[in-house]
Amino acid sequence: MTAIPSTIPAKLPVFDTLLDAFSLWGRNFLYFALIAAVFVTGITLFPIEEVPDFITGITNGETRFLYLADVAITLLLTYTLYWLVSWRCFHQLNNADSEETGNWFPKEFLRLNTTLLIFLIIAEVIYPEIEVYIYDAYTSHVLVDRFLRSDNPGSILSEYSIVLDIALQAPNYIFGILFFVFIPLSVIEKPKFMNGLKRTLELSKGNYFAILGLFLLNLVVAAVLGAIIWACFSFLAEFPDLFDLLAIQSKFFVQIFVPFVQWGLMLTFTVALWAATYARLLRLRGVDLM
């Protein structure tokens, strides 16, 4: 692993990095679309009923094995999408002439990346379960107690529910910002988990606000894509027979196509943005991993 110079780096160009991501997304659209299709199909069509949380799923004998299989498949598909998109985008930005640039399934993928897997387990399984536990405990004890003792219970519930939502969502945003460097870094450099977190902070030093700006811009891009989908639905609503066929009677359209456009393609763009951010930070620091 190449050491990061101790000098303060130049500032990360936010809009140039965003343009890098759009360029990567456009050049690799067919590749990303295939990955997104597999990802969305595997997640949306798994035959399991709704289960409120992980503990409920694994403690119920009727759902335990099916739910664990669903969690495992979701983690595997997410791991695959993050790894393949990060790997391809990084090599296209840093080593365009290499064989890895056009390789749809690199041999390196066959080596398990434990750092990436651990991070996904924490972010996708462990923290959501902690979130459910905190919410249940808070609403069952704190809010109910304040409600019973307050002369104006409505104000208590509205005030503290907002505080609770902010407290629970804060780690999600922290995870989202960490993803910008940690995910592609773990794929390319394969550090141990704690070393990866430390290196993420070192590589991001001096550019935290730029990364936050990219995080917010990514939300804007997602909102624009959502608005386009909403506009398409509004247009279809002008033709009741067609709308009924696509949006109500068609299982493929509702469960596959819409999540594919809104979720799968947007997710591949987000990972491309993470990889572009990581590649530019390396260049700013003068680090060469090739």
Side-chain angles (χ1 to χ4, degrees), residues 7-287:
T7 56
I8 298 176
K11 295 300 180 182
L12 179 70
V14 172
F15 289 102
D16 286 348
T17 306
L18 187 66
L19 289 176
D20 283 346
F22 275 115
S23 176
L24 288 167
W25 195 67
R27 297 198 316 255
N28 296 281
F29 183 81
L30 179 61
Y31 180 70
F32 290 170
L34 177 61
I35 294 176
V38 174
F39 176 80
V40 171
T41 302
I43 288 180
T44 58
L45 293 187
F46 194 80
I48 184 171
E49 300 295 330
E50 290 187 10
V51 178
D53 58 82
F54 183 74
I55 296 299
T56 303
I58 63 175
T59 54
N60 186 334
E62 296 180 358
T63 63
R64 181 181 299 122
F65 294 108
L66 194 59
Y67 187 75
L68 286 174
D70 178 65
V71 171
I73 288 174
T74 300
L75 281 175
L76 179 61
L77 290 172
T78 305
Y79 171 95
T80 300
L81 186 148
Y82 285 179
W83 198 101
L84 290 176
V85 175
S86 295
W87 182 269
R88 187 181 184 90
C89 289
F90 178 81
H91 282 283
Q92 285 194 354
L93 288 171
N94 284 269
N95 194 13
D97 296 329
S98 70
E99 294 182 1
E100 303 293 349
T101 300
N103 195 340
W104 283 47
F105 195 82
K107 293 180 180 179
E108 185 67 23
F109 177 74
L110 299 177
R111 299 181 182 180
L112 179 64
N113 191 312
T114 55
T115 298
L116 177 59
L117 185 60
I118 290 171
F119 191 74
L120 289 178
I121 291 173
I122 293 173
E124 304 292 340
V125 179
I126 296 178
Y127 179 71
E129 186 55 36
I130 294 174
E131 190 176 29
V132 170
Y133 175 80
I134 293 174
Y135 184 84
D136 288 345
Y138 192 84
T139 53
S140 299
H141 300 289
V142 178
L143 286 185
V144 170
D145 182 62
R146 291 180 183 275
F147 181 88
L148 294 175
R149 289 193 286 171
S150 174
D151 294 332
N152 188 7
S155 64
I156 292 292
L157 286 173
S158 61
E159 175 184 353
Y160 282 90
S161 62
I162 294 175
V163 174
L164 179 63
D165 287 340
I166 293 174
L168 290 177
Q169 289 302 316
N172 289 330
Y173 290 113
I174 293 173
F175 280 130
I177 294 172
L178 276 176
F179 281 0
F180 265 83
V181 180
F182 186 88
I183 294 293
L185 186 150
S186 65
V187 170
I188 302 302
E189 301 185 27
K190 300 177 285 294
K192 293 183 178 179
F193 183 76
M194 295 307 298
N195 291 339
L197 290 176
K198 181 180 178 181
R199 186 163 169 80
T200 296
L201 296 175
E202 291 175 348
L203 195 59
S204 305
K205 186 177 180 180
N207 285 293
Y208 298 124
F209 286 108
I211 293 173
L212 177 61
L214 286 168
F215 175 78
L216 296 176
L217 284 173
N218 188 55
L219 295 180
V220 172
V221 173
V224 170
L225 180 61
I228 292 173
I229 294 174
W230 178 83
C232 292
F233 267 96
S234 299
F235 176 77
L236 287 175
E238 300 295 326
F239 307 92
D241 293 338
L242 180 61
F243 183 82
D244 180 70
L245 176 64
L246 292 177
I248 298 177
Q249 298 183 12
S250 174
K251 183 177 180 180
F252 170 81
F253 185 79
V254 175
Q255 294 191 10
I256 299 295
F257 181 73
V258 174
F260 166 74
V261 174
Q262 187 173 13
W263 191 11
L265 291 182
M266 186 60 215
L267 186 53
T268 57
F269 171 80
T270 299
V271 181
L273 182 57
W274 297 342
T277 303
Y278 170 64
R280 278 197 173 265
L281 286 173
L282 286 181
R283 270 184 249 141
L284 290 175
R285 291 288 186 135
V287 178

